[in-house]
């Protein structure tokens, strides 16, 4: 789940009942909401969409802070950094990449072309396209809707439907 402050949480539904609280306390697990198994906060505004790749190992997260992030779910747990670059040392190790500020709220995500392309709908009605693992570099922008693109639905690897507030 994503919240209004940019926090992403992963849940284990088997741990979302009162008996699990006692188990968590007995194992001295960190104080997280009941059932939450991991969390991170790399965005500064609301989380608008969460999408998993076909393998279920990478989660893409779009946010009202005008950025998109890619997180490797197999690396969760540590907060070592990816980079030795002093400007980029705030990203946890499981974050594979994050786009620069796009000056437009990112609202919806679809993965196309057998995982090679990511399309993101924006508040201004533009589709942003990225190549997988090239998060800092926007490939294409397709204007078209006069208002926000709130939903994207993948039909096949080459086709998607867009849902807009227009």
């Amino acid at each position: 789940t994503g919240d209004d402050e940019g926090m992403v949480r992963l849940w284990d539904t088997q741990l979302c009942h009162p008996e699990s609280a006692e188990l968590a306390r007995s194992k001295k697990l960190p104080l997280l909401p009941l059932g939450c198994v991991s969390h991170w906060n790399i965005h500064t505004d609301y989380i608008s969409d969460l999408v998993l790749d076909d393998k279920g190992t990478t989660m893409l997260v779009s946010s009202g802070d005008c950025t998109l992030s890619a997180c490797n779910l197999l690396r969760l747990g540590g907060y070592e950094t990816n980079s030795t670059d002093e400007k980029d040392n705030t990203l946890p190790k499981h974050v594979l990449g994050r786009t620069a500020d796009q000056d437009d709220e990112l609202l919806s995500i679809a993965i196309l072309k057998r995982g090679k392309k990511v399309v993101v709908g924006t508040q201004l009605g533009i589709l942003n396209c990225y190549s997988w693992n090239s998060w800092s570099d926007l490939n294409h922008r397709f204007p078209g809707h006069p208002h926000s693109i709130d939903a994207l639905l993948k039909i096949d690897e080459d086709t998607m439907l867009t849902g807009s507030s227009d």
Side-chain angles (χ1 to χ4, degrees), residues 17 23 57 92-93 111-112 123 148-149 156 159 163:
H17 49 80
L23 177 64
T57 59
K93 189 172 186 173
I111 301 171
L112 301 171
Q123 180 71 31
S148 64
I149 301 173
D156 60 36
T159 312

Side-chain angles (χ1 to χ4, degrees), residues 28-103:
K28 297 184 178 166
L29 296 174
L31 295 175
L32 296 172
L34 192 60
C36 180
V37 294
S38 186
H39 69 284
W40 63 93
N41 193 352
I42 59 171
H43 293 281
T44 58
D45 204 346
Y46 68 93
I47 302 301
S48 55
D49 202 3
L50 304 165
V51 175
L52 289 174
D53 68 348
D54 287 340
K55 296 176 188 172
T57 59
T58 302
M59 179 185 287
L60 301 180
V61 180
S62 61
S63 174
D65 69 4
C66 306
T67 65
L68 172 76
S69 64
C71 302
N72 183 334
L73 300 180
L74 301 177
R75 290 188 191 171
L76 288 174
Y79 276 84
E80 305 86 24
T81 60
N82 278 330
S83 172
T84 56
D85 181 357
E86 292 178 13
K87 296 176 185 172
D88 191 31
N89 66 359
T90 59
L91 293 179
K93 189 172 186 173
H94 68 275
V95 178
L96 301 172
R98 184 174 174 196
T99 65
D101 186 326
Q102 300 298 301
D103 295 323

Side-chain angles (χ1 to χ4, degrees), residues 117-120 127-131 137-142 160:
K117 294 290 181 183
V118 175
V119 180
V120 180
L127 292 171
N128 290 349
C129 297
Y130 301 88
S131 291
D137 193 19
L138 181 66
N139 294 126
H140 302 286
R141 290 173 53 92
F142 296 100
M160 68 179 175

Side-chain angles (χ1 to χ4, degrees), residues 144-159:
H145 286 286
H147 299 290
S148 64
I149 301 173
D150 302 316
L152 297 174
L153 177 64
K154 176 180 170 178
I155 301 300
D156 60 36
E157 294 302 324
D158 299 311
T159 312

